[in-house]
Amino acid sequence: MPELPEVELAARRLREWLVGCRVTHVETDDALLLRGASAADWHAALAGRCGRAVRRRAKYLLADFEGGHTLVAHLRMTGRFLRESGDAAPPPGARLFLRLEDGSRLTFQDRRRLGQAWVLPTPAVESLPQLASLGPDTLEEPPSAPALMALTCGRRQSIKALLMDQRRLSGLGNICAGEILFRARIAPEMPAGQLSEAEIARLAELIPEYLRWAIEAQSRHDPVYLGERGAVNVFSLYGRRGEPCPACGEAIRRTVIAGRGTYYCPRCQG
DNA sequence: CTTATCCCCTGCCGGC
DNA sequence: TGCCGGCAGGGGATAA
């Protein structure tokens, strides 16, 4: 489920938990996660090592360890890292445990099991195909208006699908793209190449502004996603079909673009 | 190259 | 209560 804002918050939590903290054991028996790698190799690479840094690239988490290895993780739809007591019962969907020398446990929980993880020599991270193909990070290197114009020029693809294409820009997902287009008053199904210069300029300004807002807004809640108990919907449109548009009061509609649920205001984004 | 569609996997929710 | 379709904040493979 997570997009850039949630992954950024996950990175900040992991940084607190791991940097300067020694891992004693790496435990997993999840063949889908290992994809041919060996749990023993993961353990050998990380056990006994302190975390040195935690980075984020688009929606990927990178945890660098002393000894020269990096744990790369993608949370996909349902992944999250939890810090638990070392003797707590494993939560449903637990796929990987990092035991720490203070007795606690970092658990990679992922109920749908779509998440991915790698343990690589740190220099090899750059050539991991999943990372190498990413476009510029929308928080660290937000596109200028001319850069966005170059990306959209001549494209018949909807602007929403383009914003979610990680090879062009990275970090925006289904919710971010929809919320940014609402703020910019642009219809999500508009062919990217047909946007006006003024619309492009608004988008360029709103992308980093929205991400900073979302990180701040979501940092005030536990890392709980919509649909879970106690979840708080901080979004303007997402998940609010039929509710009044916060700007004009018109009923929010839902459609499907690029296979993803898409919420929009037919009046503001007409 | 571009774009759309299907698929991976599991759980929850609403309707009948 | 039980079953079933729809839905889920990801991205990769494949096809046209």
Side-chain angles (χ1 to χ4, degrees):
Chain A
M1 292 160 106
E3 301 186 37
L4 187 152
E6 297 80 16
V7 179
E8 173 65 23
L9 291 168
R12 293 178 188 179
R13 286 190 298 272
L14 270 183
R15 196 168 292 135
E16 283 191 30
W17 294 337
L18 270 179
V19 173
C21 217
R22 194 176 310 277
V23 169
T24 58
H25 298 277
V26 179
E27 300 169 2
T28 179
D29 59 357
D30 189 317
L32 198 57
L33 189 67
L34 288 163
R35 293 185 320 288
S38 139
D41 287 346
W42 285 17
H43 176 78
L46 305 184
R49 315 287 191 178
C50 281
R52 224 169 43 186
V54 175
R55 301 175 280 153
R56 178 191 60 76
R57 283 269 294 276
K59 303 173 197 171
Y60 290 83
L61 290 165
L62 292 74
D64 299 323
F65 287 85
E66 292 174 347
H69 284 84
T70 296
L71 170 67
V72 180
H74 195 301
L75 308 177
R76 290 285 186 101
M77 298 291 271
T78 52
R80 71 212 291 193
F81 278 93
L82 305 171
R83 183 177 192 171
E84 306 177 297
S85 158
D87 53 9
R95 306 185 68 189
L96 169 70
F97 301 105
L98 303 182
R99 293 192 178 275
L100 306 183
E101 67 181 339
D102 66 3
S104 70
R105 182 178 76 194
L106 299 190
T107 302
F108 177 52
Q109 183 197 28
D110 181 24
R111 299 180 88 118
R112 280 177 73 181
R113 304 178 73 217
L114 294 168
Q116 292 189 293
W118 301 261
V119 173
L120 303 168
T122 302
V125 166
E126 299 304 319
S127 46
L128 187 68
Q130 284 85 345
L131 294 182
S133 64
L134 290 172
D137 187 279
T138 40
L139 181 64
E140 302 301 325
E141 308 171 67
S144 64
L148 206 49
M149 184 65 88
L151 280 179
T152 56
C153 190
R155 294 270 138 69
R156 280 173 293 181
Q157 184 184 35
S158 73
I159 182 61
K160 178 162 179 267
L162 185 143
L163 290 178
M164 290 191 294
D165 183 342
Q166 305 298 299
R167 292 164 307 173
R168 300 189 202 289
L169 294 172
S170 66
L172 304 183
N174 193 37
I175 294 184
C176 289
E179 296 285 303
I180 288 166
L181 288 168
F182 169 65
R183 291 187 178 205
R185 302 188 308 281
I186 297 168
E189 71 272 17
M190 175 76 70
Q194 288 180 25
L195 296 186
S196 69
E197 257 185 73
E199 289 172 323
I200 294 285
R202 289 209 298 275
L203 266 185
E205 187 175 350
L206 282 164
I207 287 170
E209 183 181 309
Y210 172 79
L211 292 172
R212 285 192 294 268
W213 173 85
I215 290 167
E216 166 60 24
Q218 298 188 77
S219 70
R220 291 195 292 270
H221 305 287
D222 284 334
V224 168
Y225 302 118
L226 292 183
E228 295 188 38
R229 209 164 65 88
V232 177
N233 185 350
V234 301
F235 307 113
S236 299
L237 299 192
Y238 187 80
R240 301 190 187 280
R241 171 161 42 176
E243 293 181 31
C245 165
C248 77
E250 185 83 6
I252 294 166
R253 292 191 194 166
R254 180 187 182 276
T255 183
V256 174
I257 294 177
R260 319 299 298 277
T262 300
Y263 298 84
Y264 67 102
C265 170
R267 188 185 292 172
C268 294
Q269 299 171 270

